Amino acid sequence: MKQGFQNSEQAAQMMQFRCPRWEQLPGIALYMDQVTGYLNEVFAPLCPPGEEKVLTKAMVNNYVKQKVMAPPANKKYGRTHVAQLLVICALKQVLSIQEVARMIRMQAEVCEMRRAYDYFCDQLETALQQAAAGEAPAPVNDDDRLVVIHAARAFASKVYLQKRLVFEDRSE
């Protein structure tokens, strides 16, 4: 008998994903290798097989060049950089880099970085859990939050589809 997706290893990876909150991000400034290693480790459970790297040094350098994020201070990246890169790593899967940059700027206008980042993490986890469980998302009436919610849902939908395809390949 074929196991359902909701009980699969792939669904469990989505359900168990935890986005580090602001206070859990490294409290000291990190060098480029440390930043890329940290973020690749965070996203590893959500990556399709064979695509374990969501962030490279070249990508970070391009985000700085394109002014998606501020340049590092003395070649070190602080908590704000790491938070922005985490959001970028998730959303670049479903939006262009310029759209991601615009969204980050929009959120910065309505609340402080720390609150915006933690809210994004909450929405990302909720969207992943709902997608994995096959649950419909609850309606929302707050325009400022709706942008974040839809972005998180778009990412979760992509991850769900990739995980579902892996599940189907393994269960055939």
Side-chain angles (χ1 to χ4, degrees):
M1 186 165 123
K2 189 174 175 182
Q3 168 189 328
F5 179 78
Q6 280 83 10
N7 297 320
S8 70
E9 173 189 341
Q10 292 79 17
Q13 290 168 338
M14 292 176 69
M15 297 288 280
Q16 294 166 5
F17 178 78
R18 293 296 171 261
C19 201
R21 298 310 192 267
W22 183 266
E23 287 300 321
Q24 296 168 323
L25 294 174
I28 58 169
L30 304 175
Y31 287 106
M32 175 80 80
D33 287 341
Q34 294 169 309
V35 170
T36 57
Y38 176 73
L39 289 169
N40 285 325
E41 188 176 311
V42 167
F43 281 102
L46 300 180
C47 290
E51 295 179 33
E52 283 73 31
K53 284 196 174 186
V54 295
L55 188 65
T56 65
K57 294 178 195 177
M59 289 175 190
V60 175
N61 288 329
N62 283 333
Y63 303 150
V64 171
K65 275 185 208 167
Q66 295 174 22
K67 298 188 185 334
V68 177
M69 58 184 279
N74 299 320
K75 297 186 179 187
K76 288 188 177 181
Y77 297 83
R79 192 174 270 165
T80 298
H81 291 109
V82 175
Q84 287 177 329
L85 283 167
L86 191 141
V87 172
I88 291 166
C89 286
L91 297 185
K92 74 178 182 179
Q93 307 296 316
V94 292
L95 298 170
S96 73
I97 292 303
Q98 293 314 313
E99 290 167 330
V100 174
R102 187 161 180 231
M103 202 176 128
I104 289 171
R105 285 192 302 274
M106 284 171 54
Q107 291 306 301
E109 290 173 10
V110 296
C111 68
E112 67 174 320
M113 178 65 173
R114 173 191 196 130
R115 279 189 47 227
Y117 171 75
D118 282 348
Y119 182 74
F120 175 80
C121 291
D122 291 341
Q123 293 307 310
L124 190 63
E125 288 175 8
T126 298
L128 286 163
Q129 291 166 3
Q130 287 174 335
E135 296 173 3
V140 178
N141 295 323
D142 183 340
D143 281 347
D144 289 333
R145 292 180 179 218
L146 208 49
V147 171
V148 174
I149 291 167
H150 278 289
R153 287 178 185 169
F155 174 74
S157 292
K158 181 177 187 216
V159 171
Y160 167 80
L161 291 169
Q162 289 172 325
K163 295 282 185 190
R164 184 64 188 250
L165 292 171
V166 169
F167 168 76
E168 293 299 330
D169 286 346
R170 291 184 179 167
S171 63
E172 287 179 352

